[in-house]
Amino acid sequence: MVRFLLYAAPIALALTVYTLVECTRADRYQVRSLSKPAWVVVIILLPFIGAGLWFLLGRPESTKPASGTPSGAPDDDEQFLRQLETWRKQQQREAELKAREEELKKREDELKNPKDDPNPPNES
């Protein structure tokens, strides 16, 4: 009997602490059956039974993902792929614009500062 108590006491303490933390972290509007303070009292006064009741009757229901939205790899998502294609086209346009700007800037510089022509026209 003493061995049982030596093993049961730490387990009961750990379970009680875990259940209390979970109870206090739960949103008060999502807790079922009793109010949060009532659940804290039940968990403290009845360590194993209170924890079991909390898990069965008081714990908020887990939020499950909607069944209509399948989860998968990003490359399976058509919207994601369209977004990637749009991003790629935008990057390509920006690169073309940058190249055109550099070309125009080069032409303006040539018009403002003409280089010495190796074959100057005859002045005679």
Side-chain angles (χ1 to χ4, degrees), residues 6-103:
L6 287 175
Y7 292 118
I11 292 172
L13 181 65
L15 185 64
T16 301
V17 169
Y18 176 77
T19 309
L20 281 173
V21 168
E22 188 173 293
C23 180
T24 56
R25 291 185 71 202
D27 189 22
R28 70 179 183 157
Y29 298 109
Q30 292 180 341
V31 174
R32 300 180 296 158
S33 302
L34 299 173
S35 64
K36 279 176 64 168
W39 275 117
V40 170
V41 171
V42 168
I43 293 168
I44 290 173
L45 293 179
L46 307 168
F48 280 119
I49 298 170
L53 290 173
W54 164 256
F55 287 114
L56 291 175
L57 303 174
R59 188 179 194 184
E61 293 181 15
S62 62
T63 56
K64 298 177 184 175
S67 60
T69 57
S71 61
D75 59 347
D76 293 338
D77 186 11
E78 292 181 26
Q79 183 180 4
F80 178 76
L81 293 174
R82 279 193 299 269
Q83 220 173 13
L84 277 180
E85 183 63 24
T86 303
W87 180 79
R88 187 191 61 78
K89 287 179 182 178
Q90 184 178 9
Q91 293 294 322
Q92 185 178 9
R93 278 190 231 120
E94 287 177 6
E96 289 173 1
L97 284 174
K98 196 172 199 177
R100 287 180 189 169
E101 285 177 357
E102 288 176 6
E103 184 180 334

